[in-house]
Amino acid sequence: MTSTLSLVISLIISFAVTALLGYVLIPVLHNLKFGQNILTDIGPNWHAKKQGTPTMGGIMFIIGIILINSILIGIETFNNTPLINAIQKIILGIFTIEIALRFIAAKNIKSFLKDGWNLFDLSLVIIGYIPPSIFTNASMLTALRVLRVFRVLRL
């Protein structure tokens, strides 16, 4: 199987799993009243009908990215191509932006660092920037990068 075909298959599988997860999870969260509050006094009145809708777009996006990343790490162990490396860099950029936004949204540095998940995600992002060339055995770095799969547990 070519690496491009493997990549396309991984993207399709990730999208399908994310869509299926959203299809199942959003109604459950809606029934649990896990949704957004709409402030009709500062927005248009027609937004009021969205009251109680679960805000899952960001979470579903990150789950999809984590799934794609996990599949690509598996493919990368057998067949490493420039296309896979480019997509991995884009994914690392998305994770970097996510952690930067969480850092900006935190009250202060101490509150950001107090959260174990923030430390875990920050560690994964830092590990992502370590070039494999500094290791004599790149499998150790790959093993550390596989820990990204556990980010799903946080969601």
Side-chain angles (χ1 to χ4, degrees):
M1 183 179 318
T2 66
S3 61
T4 305
L5 182 60
S6 298
L7 179 63
V8 170
I9 291 171
S10 69
L11 292 172
I12 291 169
I13 290 170
S14 298
F15 176 78
V17 169
T18 303
L20 181 64
L21 186 63
Y23 183 76
V24 171
L25 192 57
I26 289 175
V28 170
L29 292 173
H30 196 275
N31 288 337
L32 294 173
K33 309 272 189 250
F34 190 85
Q36 62 186 7
N37 291 323
I38 304 297
L39 303 174
T40 55
D41 55 333
I42 61 172
N45 289 334
W46 56 270
H47 275 206
K49 66 182 176 183
K50 296 188 332 183
Q51 187 78 16
T53 302
T55 54
M56 297 293 296
I59 291 173
M60 300 307 291
F61 176 74
I62 292 298
I63 288 173
I65 294 296
I66 291 169
L67 287 171
I68 291 169
N69 182 250
S70 303
I71 293 169
L72 287 177
I73 288 173
I75 293 171
E76 196 175 36
T77 58
F78 298 108
N79 190 7
N80 196 358
T81 66
L83 179 62
I84 290 175
N85 289 335
I87 293 172
Q88 289 285 47
K89 287 180 183 177
I90 291 169
I91 290 172
L92 180 60
I94 291 169
F95 289 154
T96 303
I97 291 168
E98 180 199 11
I99 199 77
L101 290 174
R102 280 196 273 145
F103 181 77
I104 291 167
K107 293 177 187 173
N108 53 42
I109 295 173
K110 185 177 180 181
S111 68
F112 176 81
L113 295 175
K114 236 183 191 181
D115 186 348
W117 287 112
N118 284 341
L119 291 175
F120 179 69
D121 290 345
L122 181 62
S123 301
L124 292 176
V125 168
I126 291 169
I127 288 168
Y129 285 104
I130 298 173
S133 59
I134 67 170
F135 288 93
T136 56
N137 185 359
S139 62
M140 177 63 175
L141 185 61
T142 302
L144 290 173
R145 288 182 177 166
V146 169
L147 291 175
R148 291 181 189 170
V149 175
F150 294 108
R151 294 185 76 216
V152 174
L153 296 175
R154 175 179 56 90
L155 303 175

